[in-house]
Amino acid sequence: MKFLLDNWMLVAVALASGVALLFPVLSAGRGLGPQDMVQLMNREKAIVIDVCEPDEFARGHVIGAKNLPLGQLEAKLGQFVKNKSTPVVMVCQVGARSARAAATAQKLGYEKAQSLAGGLKAWQAASMPIEKA
């Protein structure tokens, strides 16, 4: 105990570095990576829903994505995805809105709703193609 009290700064640095090492592992389950999304699109014909506002969508989006702003998701998702067992991938600019959208879709009964971790920025960082409207 005396060692911990005498070396509290050393203990704090060790704990901080441990948390920093574990952070990527703990946050990995928060969505699909770009490669996983491509596989889901190709193998299971996942529907990609971009929850950005129309002006953001026009500046660039995943090829084949449908635009449905987050504010309209609950009211209109059924028009875009008829079968609730179809895989649905939500996308936004950085991943925050799409994570909320995926949670909302799951509450609505879409059992295979997921989000793209890191959003369109992660998609572009992985050198994946985008299109502009």
Side-chain angles (χ1 to χ4, degrees):
M1 186 57 126
K2 183 174 179 348
F3 174 81
L4 294 177
L5 293 173
D6 290 342
N7 297 297
W8 65 270
M9 195 177 285
L10 179 64
V11 172
V13 169
L15 288 174
S17 65
V19 169
L21 288 171
L22 287 176
F23 183 74
V25 174
L26 296 176
S27 63
R30 294 190 182 176
L32 292 172
Q35 290 80 11
D36 296 328
M37 183 173 144
V38 169
Q39 288 181 353
L40 195 61
M41 291 167 64
N42 290 336
R43 293 182 182 162
E44 297 186 42
K45 307 297 182 214
I47 296 174
V48 180
I49 304 288
D50 192 312
V51 295
C52 293
E53 294 301 316
D55 60 318
E56 292 174 300
F57 182 78
R59 285 186 291 227
H61 55 272
V62 174
I63 295 174
K66 299 175 183 178
N67 186 223
L68 179 59
L70 183 59
Q72 301 172 14
L73 186 72
E74 287 187 51
K76 295 185 177 180
L77 185 58
Q79 296 172 9
F80 287 85
V81 186
K82 306 279 188 224
N83 186 349
K84 291 188 176 186
S85 64
T86 300
V88 180
V89 181
M90 303 293 179
V91 179
C92 68
Q93 292 298 314
V94 294
R97 285 179 285 182
S98 62
R100 287 196 320 243
T104 300
Q106 288 174 351
K107 287 179 188 172
L108 293 172
Y110 293 88
E111 54 204 44
K112 295 182 180 178
Q114 299 181 61
S115 76
L116 174 61
L120 193 62
K121 289 189 182 214
W123 183 261
Q124 289 176 302
S127 300
M128 298 294 184
I130 64 166
E131 67 181 349
K132 296 180 181 184

mmCIF file of all heavy atoms in Angstrom, residues 40-93:
data_model
loop_
_atom_site.group_PDB
_atom_site.id
_atom_site.type_symbol
_atom_site.label_atom_id
_atom_site.label_comp_id
_atom_site.label_asym_id
_atom_site.label_seq_id
_atom_site.Cartn_x
_atom_site.Cartn_y
_atom_site.Cartn_z
ATOM 1 N N LEU A 40 -21.457 -7.855 -46.527
ATOM 2 C CA LEU A 40 -22.885 -7.936 -46.226
ATOM 3 C C LEU A 40 -23.714 -7.474 -47.421
ATOM 4 O O LEU A 40 -24.739 -8.081 -47.744
ATOM 5 C CB LEU A 40 -23.201 -7.081 -44.990
ATOM 6 C CG LEU A 40 -24.531 -7.310 -44.307
ATOM 7 C CD1 LEU A 40 -24.634 -8.741 -43.790
ATOM 8 C CD2 LEU A 40 -24.700 -6.329 -43.159
ATOM 9 N N MET A 41 -23.246 -6.453 -48.115
ATOM 10 C CA MET A 41 -23.952 -5.965 -49.298
ATOM 11 C C MET A 41 -23.919 -7.008 -50.419
ATOM 12 O O MET A 41 -24.923 -7.230 -51.098
ATOM 13 C CB MET A 41 -23.323 -4.656 -49.787
ATOM 14 C CG MET A 41 -23.550 -3.473 -48.863
ATOM 15 S SD MET A 41 -22.504 -2.049 -49.244
ATOM 16 C CE MET A 41 -23.061 -1.591 -50.865
ATOM 17 N N ASN A 42 -22.769 -7.647 -50.607
ATOM 18 C CA ASN A 42 -22.618 -8.607 -51.699
ATOM 19 C C ASN A 42 -23.258 -9.956 -51.407
ATOM 20 O O ASN A 42 -23.889 -10.547 -52.275
ATOM 21 C CB ASN A 42 -21.140 -8.807 -52.026
ATOM 22 C CG ASN A 42 -20.523 -7.596 -52.681
ATOM 23 O OD1 ASN A 42 -21.209 -6.783 -53.292
ATOM 24 N ND2 ASN A 42 -19.218 -7.447 -52.545
ATOM 25 N N ARG A 43 -23.075 -10.456 -50.204
ATOM 26 C CA ARG A 43 -23.545 -11.805 -49.877
ATOM 27 C C ARG A 43 -25.003 -11.862 -49.463
ATOM 28 O O ARG A 43 -25.700 -12.814 -49.777
ATOM 29 C CB ARG A 43 -22.688 -12.398 -48.771
ATOM 30 C CG ARG A 43 -21.267 -12.664 -49.214
ATOM 31 C CD ARG A 43 -20.459 -13.285 -48.121
ATOM 32 N NE ARG A 43 -19.080 -13.483 -48.573
ATOM 33 C CZ ARG A 43 -18.068 -13.692 -47.773
ATOM 34 N NH1 ARG A 43 -18.252 -13.742 -46.468
ATOM 35 N NH2 ARG A 43 -16.857 -13.855 -48.267
ATOM 36 N N GLU A 44 -25.451 -10.850 -48.724
ATOM 37 C CA GLU A 44 -26.809 -10.902 -48.186
ATOM 38 C C GLU A 44 -27.707 -9.806 -48.735
ATOM 39 O O GLU A 44 -28.815 -9.606 -48.243
ATOM 40 C CB GLU A 44 -26.764 -10.833 -46.654
ATOM 41 C CG GLU A 44 -26.044 -12.025 -46.039
ATOM 42 C CD GLU A 44 -26.119 -12.023 -44.528
ATOM 43 O OE1 GLU A 44 -27.207 -11.723 -43.987
ATOM 44 O OE2 GLU A 44 -25.099 -12.322 -43.891
ATOM 45 N N LYS A 45 -27.229 -9.077 -49.728
ATOM 46 C CA LYS A 45 -28.001 -8.017 -50.375
ATOM 47 C C LYS A 45 -28.530 -6.994 -49.365
ATOM 48 O O LYS A 45 -29.711 -6.638 -49.369
ATOM 49 C CB LYS A 45 -29.159 -8.598 -51.196
ATOM 50 C CG LYS A 45 -28.744 -9.649 -52.195
ATOM 51 C CD LYS A 45 -27.825 -9.084 -53.241
ATOM 52 C CE LYS A 45 -27.452 -10.146 -54.253
ATOM 53 N NZ LYS A 45 -26.126 -10.028 -54.768
ATOM 54 N N ALA A 46 -27.645 -6.548 -48.491
ATOM 55 C CA ALA A 46 -28.018 -5.559 -47.478
ATOM 56 C C ALA A 46 -28.445 -4.253 -48.150
ATOM 57 O O ALA A 46 -27.898 -3.859 -49.179
ATOM 58 C CB ALA A 46 -26.853 -5.298 -46.533
ATOM 59 N N ILE A 47 -29.413 -3.605 -47.555
ATOM 60 C CA ILE A 47 -29.873 -2.300 -48.022
ATOM 61 C C ILE A 47 -29.121 -1.241 -47.225
ATOM 62 O O ILE A 47 -29.072 -1.299 -45.998
ATOM 63 C CB ILE A 47 -31.392 -2.163 -47.842
ATOM 64 C CG1 ILE A 47 -32.105 -3.193 -48.719
ATOM 65 C CG2 ILE A 47 -31.846 -0.750 -48.166
ATOM 66 C CD1 ILE A 47 -33.593 -3.261 -48.518
ATOM 67 N N VAL A 48 -28.559 -0.268 -47.933
ATOM 68 C CA VAL A 48 -27.800 0.798 -47.286
ATOM 69 C C VAL A 48 -28.678 2.047 -47.218
ATOM 70 O O VAL A 48 -29.155 2.528 -48.242
ATOM 71 C CB VAL A 48 -26.490 1.101 -48.046
ATOM 72 C CG1 VAL A 48 -25.722 2.219 -47.358
ATOM 73 C CG2 VAL A 48 -25.642 -0.151 -48.153
ATOM 74 N N ILE A 49 -28.884 2.524 -45.999
ATOM 75 C CA ILE A 49 -29.683 3.718 -45.768
ATOM 76 C C ILE A 49 -28.758 4.808 -45.226
ATOM 77 O O ILE A 49 -28.131 4.627 -44.185
ATOM 78 C CB ILE A 49 -30.820 3.466 -44.746
ATOM 79 C CG1 ILE A 49 -31.720 2.305 -45.173
ATOM 80 C CG2 ILE A 49 -31.606 4.745 -44.483
ATOM 81 C CD1 ILE A 49 -32.611 2.583 -46.339
ATOM 82 N N ASP A 50 -28.667 5.920 -45.935
ATOM 83 C CA ASP A 50 -27.865 7.063 -45.487
ATOM 84 C C ASP A 50 -28.802 8.000 -44.725
ATOM 85 O O ASP A 50 -29.770 8.511 -45.282
ATOM 86 C CB ASP A 50 -27.257 7.772 -46.696
ATOM 87 C CG ASP A 50 -26.200 8.783 -46.299
ATOM 88 O OD1 ASP A 50 -26.467 9.587 -45.375
ATOM 89 O OD2 ASP A 50 -25.117 8.783 -46.909
ATOM 90 N N VAL A 51 -28.518 8.210 -43.450
ATOM 91 C CA VAL A 51 -29.401 9.008 -42.599
ATOM 92 C C VAL A 51 -28.982 10.478 -42.525
ATOM 93 O O VAL A 51 -29.454 11.218 -41.664
ATOM 94 C CB VAL A 51 -29.521 8.401 -41.184
ATOM 95 C CG1 VAL A 51 -30.198 7.042 -41.244
ATOM 96 C CG2 VAL A 51 -28.178 8.295 -40.496
ATOM 97 N N CYS A 52 -28.126 10.908 -43.433
ATOM 98 C CA CYS A 52 -27.710 12.314 -43.493
ATOM 99 C C CYS A 52 -28.833 13.155 -44.088
ATOM 100 O O CYS A 52 -29.757 12.647 -44.717
ATOM 101 C CB CYS A 52 -26.469 12.457 -44.369
ATOM 102 S SG CYS A 52 -25.014 11.685 -43.664
ATOM 103 N N GLU A 53 -28.692 14.456 -43.927
ATOM 104 C CA GLU A 53 -29.625 15.381 -44.549
ATOM 105 C C GLU A 53 -29.382 15.381 -46.065
ATOM 106 O O GLU A 53 -28.293 15.039 -46.517
ATOM 107 C CB GLU A 53 -29.439 16.780 -43.968
ATOM 108 C CG GLU A 53 -29.816 16.876 -42.491
ATOM 109 C CD GLU A 53 -31.268 16.489 -42.214
ATOM 110 O OE1 GLU A 53 -32.162 16.920 -42.966
ATOM 111 O OE2 GLU A 53 -31.498 15.749 -41.240
ATOM 112 N N PRO A 54 -30.382 15.755 -46.861
ATOM 113 C CA PRO A 54 -30.238 15.690 -48.324
ATOM 114 C C PRO A 54 -29.032 16.438 -48.892
ATOM 115 O O PRO A 54 -28.409 15.966 -49.838
ATOM 116 C CB PRO A 54 -31.550 16.303 -48.831
ATOM 117 C CG PRO A 54 -32.532 16.001 -47.747
ATOM 118 C CD PRO A 54 -31.747 16.108 -46.463
ATOM 119 N N ASP A 55 -28.659 17.587 -48.309
ATOM 120 C CA ASP A 55 -27.503 18.320 -48.836
ATOM 121 C C ASP A 55 -26.203 17.564 -48.569
ATOM 122 O O ASP A 55 -25.299 17.550 -49.408
ATOM 123 C CB ASP A 55 -27.439 19.742 -48.274
ATOM 124 C CG ASP A 55 -27.325 19.779 -46.760
ATOM 125 O OD1 ASP A 55 -28.015 18.994 -46.084
ATOM 126 O OD2 ASP A 55 -26.540 20.603 -46.247
ATOM 127 N N GLU A 56 -26.105 16.893 -47.414
ATOM 128 C CA GLU A 56 -24.921 16.073 -47.115
ATOM 129 C C GLU A 56 -24.875 14.861 -48.041
ATOM 130 O O GLU A 56 -23.824 14.482 -48.541
ATOM 131 C CB GLU A 56 -24.954 15.581 -45.669
ATOM 132 C CG GLU A 56 -24.794 16.653 -44.628
ATOM 133 C CD GLU A 56 -24.992 16.101 -43.234
ATOM 134 O OE1 GLU A 56 -26.082 15.570 -42.947
ATOM 135 O OE2 GLU A 56 -24.037 16.194 -42.441
ATOM 136 N N PHE A 57 -26.036 14.261 -48.261
ATOM 137 C CA PHE A 57 -26.148 13.096 -49.140
ATOM 138 C C PHE A 57 -25.692 13.458 -50.555
ATOM 139 O O PHE A 57 -24.988 12.687 -51.204
ATOM 140 C CB PHE A 57 -27.590 12.591 -49.142
ATOM 141 C CG PHE A 57 -27.819 11.357 -49.966
ATOM 142 C CD1 PHE A 57 -27.456 10.108 -49.486
ATOM 143 C CD2 PHE A 57 -28.413 11.434 -51.216
ATOM 144 C CE1 PHE A 57 -27.672 8.963 -50.247
ATOM 145 C CE2 PHE A 57 -28.634 10.294 -51.981
ATOM 146 C CZ PHE A 57 -28.262 9.059 -51.496
ATOM 147 N N ALA A 58 -26.079 14.642 -51.022
ATOM 148 C CA ALA A 58 -25.727 15.079 -52.380
ATOM 149 C C ALA A 58 -24.221 15.271 -52.546
ATOM 150 O O ALA A 58 -23.682 15.065 -53.632
ATOM 151 C CB ALA A 58 -26.462 16.367 -52.723
ATOM 152 N N ARG A 59 -23.533 15.638 -51.473
ATOM 153 C CA ARG A 59 -22.081 15.848 -51.549
ATOM 154 C C ARG A 59 -21.312 14.545 -51.678
ATOM 155 O O ARG A 59 -20.173 14.536 -52.121
ATOM 156 C CB ARG A 59 -21.586 16.611 -50.327
ATOM 157 C CG ARG A 59 -21.942 18.085 -50.378
ATOM 158 C CD ARG A 59 -21.312 18.801 -49.229
ATOM 159 N NE ARG A 59 -21.959 18.368 -48.004
ATOM 160 C CZ ARG A 59 -22.392 19.169 -47.049
ATOM 161 N NH1 ARG A 59 -22.220 20.452 -47.146
ATOM 162 N NH2 ARG A 59 -22.974 18.685 -45.983
ATOM 163 N N GLY A 60 -21.896 13.426 -51.289
ATOM 164 C CA GLY A 60 -21.237 12.134 -51.425
ATOM 165 C C GLY A 60 -21.856 11.101 -50.521
ATOM 166 O O GLY A 60 -22.241 11.395 -49.388
ATOM 167 N N HIS A 61 -21.997 9.889 -51.056
ATOM 168 C CA HIS A 61 -22.593 8.787 -50.301
ATOM 169 C C HIS A 61 -22.129 7.458 -50.877
ATOM 170 O O HIS A 61 -21.560 7.406 -51.965
ATOM 171 C CB HIS A 61 -24.125 8.873 -50.311
ATOM 172 C CG HIS A 61 -24.704 8.946 -51.695
ATOM 173 N ND1 HIS A 61 -24.892 10.146 -52.352
ATOM 174 C CD2 HIS A 61 -25.118 7.985 -52.547
ATOM 175 C CE1 HIS A 61 -25.405 9.909 -53.549
ATOM 176 N NE2 HIS A 61 -25.537 8.595 -53.697
ATOM 177 N N VAL A 62 -22.368 6.400 -50.137
ATOM 178 C CA VAL A 62 -22.040 5.040 -50.589
ATOM 179 C C VAL A 62 -22.864 4.751 -51.838
ATOM 180 O O VAL A 62 -24.060 5.075 -51.901
ATOM 181 C CB VAL A 62 -22.357 4.015 -49.472
ATOM 182 C CG1 VAL A 62 -22.163 2.594 -49.969
ATOM 183 C CG2 VAL A 62 -21.499 4.282 -48.243
ATOM 184 N N ILE A 63 -22.244 4.142 -52.824
ATOM 185 C CA ILE A 63 -22.942 3.827 -54.065
ATOM 186 C C ILE A 63 -24.129 2.903 -53.774
ATOM 187 O O ILE A 63 -23.988 1.881 -53.110
ATOM 188 C CB ILE A 63 -21.979 3.170 -55.081
ATOM 189 C CG1 ILE A 63 -20.909 4.173 -55.483
ATOM 190 C CG2 ILE A 63 -22.726 2.660 -56.309
ATOM 191 C CD1 ILE A 63 -19.812 3.611 -56.362
ATOM 192 N N GLY A 64 -25.290 3.301 -54.264
ATOM 193 C CA GLY A 64 -26.505 2.519 -54.080
ATOM 194 C C GLY A 64 -27.269 2.825 -52.801
ATOM 195 O O GLY A 64 -28.335 2.265 -52.568
ATOM 196 N N ALA A 65 -26.753 3.730 -51.977
ATOM 197 C CA ALA A 65 -27.435 4.071 -50.723
ATOM 198 C C ALA A 65 -28.700 4.874 -51.011
ATOM 199 O O ALA A 65 -28.781 5.624 -51.980
ATOM 200 C CB ALA A 65 -26.509 4.866 -49.819
ATOM 201 N N LYS A 66 -29.670 4.695 -50.135
ATOM 202 C CA LYS A 66 -30.919 5.452 -50.210
ATOM 203 C C LYS A 66 -30.890 6.494 -49.095
ATOM 204 O O LYS A 66 -30.494 6.187 -47.982
ATOM 205 C CB LYS A 66 -32.106 4.519 -50.047
ATOM 206 C CG LYS A 66 -32.176 3.468 -51.133
ATOM 207 C CD LYS A 66 -33.278 2.483 -50.882
ATOM 208 C CE LYS A 66 -33.265 1.396 -51.945
ATOM 209 N NZ LYS A 66 -34.287 0.390 -51.729
ATOM 210 N N ASN A 67 -31.332 7.701 -49.398
ATOM 211 C CA ASN A 67 -31.316 8.779 -48.410
ATOM 212 C C ASN A 67 -32.620 8.810 -47.626
ATOM 213 O O ASN A 67 -33.701 8.908 -48.192
ATOM 214 C CB ASN A 67 -31.075 10.113 -49.106
ATOM 215 C CG ASN A 67 -30.908 11.257 -48.131
ATOM 216 O OD1 ASN A 67 -31.448 12.323 -48.345
ATOM 217 N ND2 ASN A 67 -30.157 11.067 -47.074
ATOM 218 N N LEU A 68 -32.490 8.699 -46.318
ATOM 219 C CA LEU A 68 -33.624 8.803 -45.393
ATOM 220 C C LEU A 68 -33.111 9.516 -44.140
ATOM 221 O O LEU A 68 -32.481 8.888 -43.285
ATOM 222 C CB LEU A 68 -34.172 7.413 -45.049
ATOM 223 C CG LEU A 68 -35.340 7.360 -44.070
ATOM 224 C CD1 LEU A 68 -36.525 8.157 -44.602
ATOM 225 C CD2 LEU A 68 -35.744 5.918 -43.820
ATOM 226 N N PRO A 69 -33.319 10.841 -44.045
ATOM 227 C CA PRO A 69 -32.809 11.582 -42.894
ATOM 228 C C PRO A 69 -33.276 10.978 -41.571
ATOM 229 O O PRO A 69 -34.389 10.434 -41.476
ATOM 230 C CB PRO A 69 -33.368 12.991 -43.099
ATOM 231 C CG PRO A 69 -33.582 13.090 -44.575
ATOM 232 C CD PRO A 69 -33.997 11.706 -44.997
ATOM 233 N N LEU A 70 -32.433 11.088 -40.564
ATOM 234 C CA LEU A 70 -32.696 10.490 -39.258
ATOM 235 C C LEU A 70 -34.040 10.918 -38.688
ATOM 236 O O LEU A 70 -34.760 10.108 -38.107
ATOM 237 C CB LEU A 70 -31.563 10.836 -38.285
ATOM 238 C CG LEU A 70 -31.638 10.224 -36.898
ATOM 239 C CD1 LEU A 70 -31.653 8.701 -36.965
ATOM 240 C CD2 LEU A 70 -30.475 10.698 -36.041
ATOM 241 N N GLY A 71 -34.417 12.165 -38.876
ATOM 242 C CA GLY A 71 -35.684 12.666 -38.346
ATOM 243 C C GLY A 71 -36.906 12.003 -38.956
ATOM 244 O O GLY A 71 -37.990 12.031 -38.374
ATOM 245 N N GLN A 72 -36.770 11.407 -40.123
ATOM 246 C CA GLN A 72 -37.893 10.764 -40.811
ATOM 247 C C GLN A 72 -37.828 9.242 -40.737
ATOM 248 O O GLN A 72 -38.679 8.552 -41.294
ATOM 249 C CB GLN A 72 -37.900 11.183 -42.273
ATOM 250 C CG GLN A 72 -38.012 12.660 -42.492
ATOM 251 C CD GLN A 72 -37.824 13.028 -43.958
ATOM 252 O OE1 GLN A 72 -37.862 12.186 -44.843
ATOM 253 N NE2 GLN A 72 -37.613 14.315 -44.210
ATOM 254 N N LEU A 73 -36.831 8.716 -40.046
ATOM 255 C CA LEU A 73 -36.573 7.272 -40.055
ATOM 256 C C LEU A 73 -37.763 6.455 -39.561
ATOM 257 O O LEU A 73 -38.190 5.519 -40.235
ATOM 258 C CB LEU A 73 -35.334 6.965 -39.218
ATOM 259 C CG LEU A 73 -34.868 5.520 -39.258
ATOM 260 C CD1 LEU A 73 -34.248 5.219 -40.614
ATOM 261 C CD2 LEU A 73 -33.857 5.253 -38.165
ATOM 262 N N GLU A 74 -38.294 6.793 -38.403
ATOM 263 C CA GLU A 74 -39.381 5.995 -37.843
ATOM 264 C C GLU A 74 -40.610 5.981 -38.746
ATOM 265 O O GLU A 74 -41.247 4.951 -38.912
ATOM 266 C CB GLU A 74 -39.757 6.507 -36.450
ATOM 267 C CG GLU A 74 -38.733 6.158 -35.403
ATOM 268 C CD GLU A 74 -39.200 6.511 -34.000
ATOM 269 O OE1 GLU A 74 -40.323 6.111 -33.626
ATOM 270 O OE2 GLU A 74 -38.433 7.175 -33.289
ATOM 271 N N ALA A 75 -40.918 7.119 -39.344
ATOM 272 C CA ALA A 75 -42.115 7.226 -40.170
ATOM 273 C C ALA A 75 -41.973 6.551 -41.532
ATOM 274 O O ALA A 75 -42.951 6.010 -42.063
ATOM 275 C CB ALA A 75 -42.477 8.697 -40.361
ATOM 276 N N LYS A 76 -40.764 6.550 -42.104
ATOM 277 C CA LYS A 76 -40.617 6.114 -43.495
ATOM 278 C C LYS A 76 -39.754 4.886 -43.742
ATOM 279 O O LYS A 76 -39.623 4.460 -44.880
ATOM 280 C CB LYS A 76 -40.070 7.275 -44.329
ATOM 281 C CG LYS A 76 -41.019 8.458 -44.418
ATOM 282 C CD LYS A 76 -40.481 9.498 -45.350
ATOM 283 C CE LYS A 76 -41.467 10.653 -45.491
ATOM 284 N NZ LYS A 76 -40.960 11.673 -46.397
ATOM 285 N N LEU A 77 -39.153 4.306 -42.712
ATOM 286 C CA LEU A 77 -38.259 3.167 -42.946
ATOM 287 C C LEU A 77 -38.994 2.000 -43.612
ATOM 288 O O LEU A 77 -38.438 1.330 -44.471
ATOM 289 C CB LEU A 77 -37.596 2.709 -41.639
ATOM 290 C CG LEU A 77 -36.559 1.602 -41.780
ATOM 291 C CD1 LEU A 77 -35.428 2.021 -42.729
ATOM 292 C CD2 LEU A 77 -35.986 1.236 -40.420
ATOM 293 N N GLY A 78 -40.240 1.787 -43.268
ATOM 294 C CA GLY A 78 -41.028 0.709 -43.864
ATOM 295 C C GLY A 78 -41.203 0.849 -45.364
ATOM 296 O O GLY A 78 -41.402 -0.136 -46.068
ATOM 297 N N GLN A 79 -41.131 2.073 -45.886
ATOM 298 C CA GLN A 79 -41.242 2.297 -47.326
ATOM 299 C C GLN A 79 -39.969 1.884 -48.060
ATOM 300 O O GLN A 79 -40.008 1.501 -49.219
ATOM 301 C CB GLN A 79 -41.525 3.770 -47.611
ATOM 302 C CG GLN A 79 -42.846 4.245 -47.073
ATOM 303 C CD GLN A 79 -43.003 5.755 -47.196
ATOM 304 O OE1 GLN A 79 -42.203 6.433 -47.832
ATOM 305 N NE2 GLN A 79 -44.045 6.280 -46.566
ATOM 306 N N PHE A 80 -38.832 1.959 -47.365
ATOM 307 C CA PHE A 80 -37.545 1.624 -47.967
ATOM 308 C C PHE A 80 -37.186 0.147 -47.794
ATOM 309 O O PHE A 80 -36.557 -0.439 -48.653
ATOM 310 C CB PHE A 80 -36.432 2.488 -47.350
ATOM 311 C CG PHE A 80 -36.461 3.913 -47.790
ATOM 312 C CD1 PHE A 80 -37.274 4.835 -47.156
ATOM 313 C CD2 PHE A 80 -35.675 4.339 -48.841
ATOM 314 C CE1 PHE A 80 -37.306 6.146 -47.556
ATOM 315 C CE2 PHE A 80 -35.698 5.668 -49.253
ATOM 316 C CZ PHE A 80 -36.521 6.568 -48.610
ATOM 317 N N VAL A 81 -37.565 -0.426 -46.647
ATOM 318 C CA VAL A 81 -37.233 -1.820 -46.338
ATOM 319 C C VAL A 81 -38.523 -2.531 -45.940
ATOM 320 O O VAL A 81 -39.021 -2.356 -44.824
ATOM 321 C CB VAL A 81 -36.185 -1.917 -45.201
ATOM 322 C CG1 VAL A 81 -35.755 -3.353 -45.000
ATOM 323 C CG2 VAL A 81 -34.990 -1.028 -45.470
ATOM 324 N N LYS A 82 -39.053 -3.307 -46.848
ATOM 325 C CA LYS A 82 -40.337 -3.985 -46.595
ATOM 326 C C LYS A 82 -40.185 -5.177 -45.660
ATOM 327 O O LYS A 82 -40.991 -5.381 -44.764
ATOM 328 C CB LYS A 82 -40.946 -4.460 -47.919
ATOM 329 C CG LYS A 82 -41.087 -3.391 -48.965
ATOM 330 C CD LYS A 82 -42.306 -2.557 -48.741
ATOM 331 C CE LYS A 82 -42.503 -1.619 -49.926
ATOM 332 N NZ LYS A 82 -42.838 -0.294 -49.543
ATOM 333 N N ASN A 83 -39.137 -5.974 -45.857
ATOM 334 C CA ASN A 83 -38.927 -7.194 -45.080
ATOM 335 C C ASN A 83 -38.030 -6.894 -43.881
ATOM 336 O O ASN A 83 -36.882 -6.502 -44.044
ATOM 337 C CB ASN A 83 -38.281 -8.262 -45.971
ATOM 338 C CG ASN A 83 -38.149 -9.596 -45.291
ATOM 339 O OD1 ASN A 83 -38.336 -9.726 -44.080
ATOM 340 N ND2 ASN A 83 -37.817 -10.605 -46.081
ATOM 341 N N LYS A 84 -38.551 -7.088 -42.688
ATOM 342 C CA LYS A 84 -37.796 -6.744 -41.484
ATOM 343 C C LYS A 84 -36.636 -7.686 -41.196
ATOM 344 O O LYS A 84 -35.822 -7.410 -40.329
ATOM 345 C CB LYS A 84 -38.729 -6.676 -40.278
ATOM 346 C CG LYS A 84 -39.664 -5.495 -40.359
ATOM 347 C CD LYS A 84 -40.449 -5.293 -39.092
ATOM 348 C CE LYS A 84 -41.298 -4.042 -39.204
ATOM 349 N NZ LYS A 84 -41.965 -3.713 -37.962
ATOM 350 N N SER A 85 -36.519 -8.782 -41.933
ATOM 351 C CA SER A 85 -35.375 -9.673 -41.732
ATOM 352 C C SER A 85 -34.242 -9.389 -42.725
ATOM 353 O O SER A 85 -33.195 -10.029 -42.684
ATOM 354 C CB SER A 85 -35.805 -11.135 -41.836
ATOM 355 O OG SER A 85 -36.274 -11.418 -43.133
ATOM 356 N N THR A 86 -34.438 -8.411 -43.603
ATOM 357 C CA THR A 86 -33.401 -7.999 -44.548
ATOM 358 C C THR A 86 -32.306 -7.234 -43.804
ATOM 359 O O THR A 86 -32.619 -6.375 -42.981
ATOM 360 C CB THR A 86 -34.005 -7.080 -45.631
ATOM 361 O OG1 THR A 86 -35.020 -7.787 -46.324
ATOM 362 C CG2 THR A 86 -32.943 -6.608 -46.611
ATOM 363 N N PRO A 87 -31.044 -7.523 -44.075
ATOM 364 C CA PRO A 87 -29.976 -6.736 -43.447
ATOM 365 C C PRO A 87 -30.039 -5.273 -43.900
ATOM 366 O O PRO A 87 -30.207 -4.990 -45.084
ATOM 367 C CB PRO A 87 -28.690 -7.393 -43.945
ATOM 368 C CG PRO A 87 -29.094 -8.738 -44.411
ATOM 369 C CD PRO A 87 -30.512 -8.614 -44.883
ATOM 370 N N VAL A 88 -29.928 -4.378 -42.927
ATOM 371 C CA VAL A 88 -29.961 -2.944 -43.193
ATOM 372 C C VAL A 88 -28.718 -2.329 -42.565
ATOM 373 O O VAL A 88 -28.421 -2.587 -41.397
ATOM 374 C CB VAL A 88 -31.229 -2.294 -42.583
ATOM 375 C CG1 VAL A 88 -31.246 -0.799 -42.856
ATOM 376 C CG2 VAL A 88 -32.481 -2.955 -43.106
ATOM 377 N N VAL A 89 -27.999 -1.526 -43.354
ATOM 378 C CA VAL A 89 -26.810 -0.838 -42.837
ATOM 379 C C VAL A 89 -27.082 0.654 -42.881
ATOM 380 O O VAL A 89 -27.369 1.209 -43.940
ATOM 381 C CB VAL A 89 -25.551 -1.178 -43.652
ATOM 382 C CG1 VAL A 89 -24.339 -0.461 -43.077
ATOM 383 C CG2 VAL A 89 -25.310 -2.670 -43.687
ATOM 384 N N MET A 90 -26.993 1.286 -41.725
ATOM 385 C CA MET A 90 -27.187 2.729 -41.612
ATOM 386 C C MET A 90 -25.831 3.418 -41.746
ATOM 387 O O MET A 90 -24.833 2.962 -41.179
ATOM 388 C CB MET A 90 -27.799 3.086 -40.266
ATOM 389 C CG MET A 90 -29.103 2.393 -39.979
ATOM 390 S SD MET A 90 -30.384 2.964 -41.093
ATOM 391 C CE MET A 90 -31.756 1.992 -40.550
ATOM 392 N N VAL A 91 -25.801 4.525 -42.493
ATOM 393 C CA VAL A 91 -24.561 5.262 -42.737
ATOM 394 C C VAL A 91 -24.830 6.751 -42.524
ATOM 395 O O VAL A 91 -25.902 7.248 -42.859
ATOM 396 C CB VAL A 91 -24.062 5.048 -44.190
ATOM 397 C CG1 VAL A 91 -22.794 5.825 -44.458
ATOM 398 C CG2 VAL A 91 -23.850 3.576 -44.465
ATOM 399 N N CYS A 92 -23.854 7.444 -41.945
ATOM 400 C CA CYS A 92 -23.877 8.912 -41.863
ATOM 401 C C CYS A 92 -22.441 9.391 -42.078
ATOM 402 O O CYS A 92 -21.597 8.617 -42.521
ATOM 403 C CB CYS A 92 -24.456 9.385 -40.530
ATOM 404 S SG CYS A 92 -23.418 9.014 -39.105
ATOM 405 N N GLN A 93 -22.161 10.620 -41.746
ATOM 406 C CA GLN A 93 -20.828 11.162 -42.006
ATOM 407 C C GLN A 93 -19.749 10.547 -41.117
ATOM 408 O O GLN A 93 -18.687 10.180 -41.597
ATOM 409 C CB GLN A 93 -20.834 12.687 -41.837
ATOM 410 C CG GLN A 93 -21.645 13.397 -42.903
ATOM 411 C CD GLN A 93 -21.102 13.185 -44.301
ATOM 412 O OE1 GLN A 93 -19.906 13.294 -44.530
ATOM 413 N NE2 GLN A 93 -21.968 12.855 -45.232
#
